[in-house]
Each structure stands twice: as C-alpha cells, then as structure tokens.
C-alpha cells in the first residue's frame, strides 16, 4: 500500500523514498481510539473537507517527517504537527482540574473529619493500652506482696506455681505433711550455734515447703 502525506500541500509518498531524505511516515490518530486528537490533526493539515475528514481516516493515512523541525516537531511539549497554513506549533494541552470554593470547602471538611476520627481512635487505643498495663502491674504487685509460704503460693494466680516449686500439688503436699507429722509437732531442732536457728520460728509446713523447693529447684541455704 502506497503511503501518502496528508499534511498541507505535501506530496511525499512511499513510491519515492529518496524524496523523504531519511524521513518516515507517521500514522494518523484513529477516530475510534483518539477522536479529539484526530480532529486536531485534520484541522492542522488545512486540507479541504472533501480531501480529508474523519470518514477518510484509515490505517493507511499518514503524515511524513521529511522536514520534522518544520512539519512535525513531535515532543511531549509539542505532540502535534505544525499548522500547514501558518507553520505554528501548538503546545500540549494539560488536563488541569479546577475546583471551586465550595468543592474545596467540602474536601477540606472531609479531610478534617477523617483526621479527627483517627485522633479519637488513637486516643482510645492509648487508653486501652494504659489500662491493660495498669492491670498487669497490679497483678505483678499482688504477686510480689505475697509471702513465700505454702499457703500463699498455693493461692497464686500463676497457674501450677506450687507444683513448679515442689513438684507436688497442694493437696498432695498436705497429705505428705499429715503422713510425716501426724501430731503436727515439729521434730526439727537446730543447734543454737547454727545460723539457721531463726528457722525455728517458721511453722512446720514452711519447713517442709522450703525443703521441697530446695530439692526441686536446687536452691541453697541463702535462698
């Protein structure tokens, strides 16, 4: 198919490539895909309606770039050919979105409401975290305030804490205590010269409890 240039009075065609001087043929914008640009190019070509119109634009309609600086200075700033009559180039049209005062106010209000909503959510989350931290600190303080004896350890909120220290449940510990000392008398006596003499002030159950802790966890006398 022979290619012809549709621009102005240009008579370039592909039959005589030597006349193009190394130029190329550029396809015309198609009405179906780029209708507005197609109309713009038709207008810039300055040909009569009978010679060039939307109905005559096909895949075989071209412009040549023989003198690209004058005829077709195609860049992002000047994407269209020059006017065939005046030789002037037109800058690319930019799609600028203009907002009236009311639209700006509405958009600003939406943004402010969203920011306010996020601030409220952030405040609620901070309060919830602080509340949980206080509960956790209170629970830890409760555990720290407990005495380290069989009765208090058995009542701890920490699961299986008594078994962790003694390897026995509290019920079995009571059974062992009853089996070893049915009369609830303390047969354990320390010499007066020994440093452990103050242990005599502990009840019998505490003696057994500390002994089991020592066996289970390898604690020493200082512990």
């Amino acid at each position: 198919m022979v290619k012809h240039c549709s621009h102005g009075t240009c008579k370039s065609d592909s039959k005589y490539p030597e006349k193009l001087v190394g130029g190329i043929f550029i396809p015309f914008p198609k009405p179906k895909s780029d209708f507005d640009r197609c109309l713009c190019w038709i207008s810039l070509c300055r040909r009569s309606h009978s010679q060039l119109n939307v109905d005559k634009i096909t895949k075989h309609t071209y412009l040549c770039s023989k003198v690209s600086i004058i005829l077709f200075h195609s860049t992002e700033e000047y994407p269209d050919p020059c006017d065939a009559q005046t030789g002037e180039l037109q800058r690319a049209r930019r799609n600028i979105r203009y907002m009236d005062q009311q639209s700006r106010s509405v958009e600003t209000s939406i943004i402010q409401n969203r920011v306010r909503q996020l601030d409220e959510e952030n405040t609620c989350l901070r309060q919830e975290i602080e509340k949980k931290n206080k509960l956790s600190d209170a629970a830890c303080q409760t555990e720290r305030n407990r005495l380290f004896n069989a009765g208090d350890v058995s009542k701890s909120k920490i699961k299986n804490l008594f078994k962790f220290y003694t390897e026995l449940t509290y019920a079995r510990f009571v059974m062992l205590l009853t089996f070893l000392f049915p009369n609830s008398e303390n047969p354990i006596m320390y010499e007066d010269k020994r440093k452990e003499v103050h242990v005599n002030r502990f009840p019998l159950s505490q003696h057994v409890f500390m002994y089991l802790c020592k066996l289970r966890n390898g604690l020493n006398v200082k512990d």
Side-chain angles (χ1 to χ4, degrees):
M1 183 70 183
V2 180
K3 299 178 181 179
H4 301 279
C5 181
S6 303
H7 190 271
T9 58
C10 183
K11 298 180 180 180
S12 299
D13 61 49
S14 56
K15 285 184 179 181
Y16 308 100
E18 66 277 1
K19 293 183 179 181
L20 282 174
V21 196
I24 60 173
F25 284 98
I26 302 165
F28 218 87
K30 305 301 182 293
K32 290 184 178 179
S33 59
D34 198 348
F35 184 76
D36 291 338
R37 195 177 185 196
C38 179
L39 290 179
C40 177
W41 282 35
I42 291 173
S43 175
L44 293 172
C45 285
R46 298 299 181 183
R47 292 206 172 189
S48 64
H49 182 74
S50 60
Q51 289 182 325
L52 188 64
N53 55 66
V54 174
D55 296 332
K56 290 185 176 292
I57 303 300
T58 67
K59 63 180 181 179
H60 302 298
T61 307
Y62 299 90
L63 296 183
C64 76
S65 62
K66 181 173 61 175
V67 280
S68 58
I69 297 178
I70 300 174
L71 277 183
F72 200 84
H73 188 72
S74 180
T75 62
E76 291 184 1
E77 189 174 5
Y78 300 99
D80 302 320
C82 65
D83 192 309
Q85 186 174 355
T86 64
E88 295 179 355
L89 289 170
Q90 297 181 358
R91 291 179 182 271
R93 296 181 179 179
R94 297 181 180 178
N95 295 325
I96 303 175
R97 181 183 173 215
Y98 295 97
M99 296 178 61
D100 55 21
Q101 188 65 32
Q102 184 177 1
S103 299
R104 286 200 197 94
S105 300
V106 172
E107 187 167 338
T108 302
S109 177
I110 293 174
I111 294 174
Q112 290 176 346
N113 289 336
R114 181 56 179 162
V115 171
R116 191 179 302 108
Q117 182 181 359
L118 291 174
D119 285 340
E120 291 176 356
E121 291 178 1
N122 190 26
T123 302
C124 291
L125 290 173
R126 287 180 180 275
Q127 291 175 351
E128 188 174 345
I129 292 173
E130 290 177 359
K131 184 177 180 181
K132 288 183 178 180
N133 287 339
K134 288 181 179 179
L135 291 175
S136 178
D137 291 343
C140 292
Q141 186 63 40
T142 300
E143 291 296 329
R144 286 194 292 268
N145 292 338
R146 287 184 180 276
L147 295 175
F148 191 69
N149 57 44
D152 282 20
V153 172
S154 67
K155 297 175 183 178
S156 173
K157 294 181 180 179
I158 300 176
K159 187 177 181 180
N160 297 327
L161 184 63
F162 191 90
K163 190 173 183 180
F164 168 79
Y165 283 120
T166 65
E167 195 57 31
L168 297 175
T169 63
Y170 183 69
R172 289 185 178 275
F173 170 77
V174 174
M175 293 172 62
L176 176 64
L177 194 64
T178 303
F179 174 76
L180 293 176
F181 310 105
N183 299 325
S184 299
E185 296 179 0
N186 188 356
I188 304 175
M189 302 297 294
Y190 294 94
E191 297 178 4
D192 292 341
K193 295 182 180 180
R194 293 192 61 177
K195 295 180 180 180
E196 295 86 349
V197 66
H198 62 278
V199 178
N200 285 327
R201 293 176 296 180
F202 293 157
L204 180 61
S205 61
Q206 181 68 2
H207 286 217
V208 178
F209 175 70
M210 289 192 297
Y211 181 72
L212 292 176
C213 289
K214 176 179 174 62
L215 292 179
R216 173 69 175 82
N217 298 279
L219 303 179
N220 55 36
V221 175
K222 286 188 177 181
D223 293 326

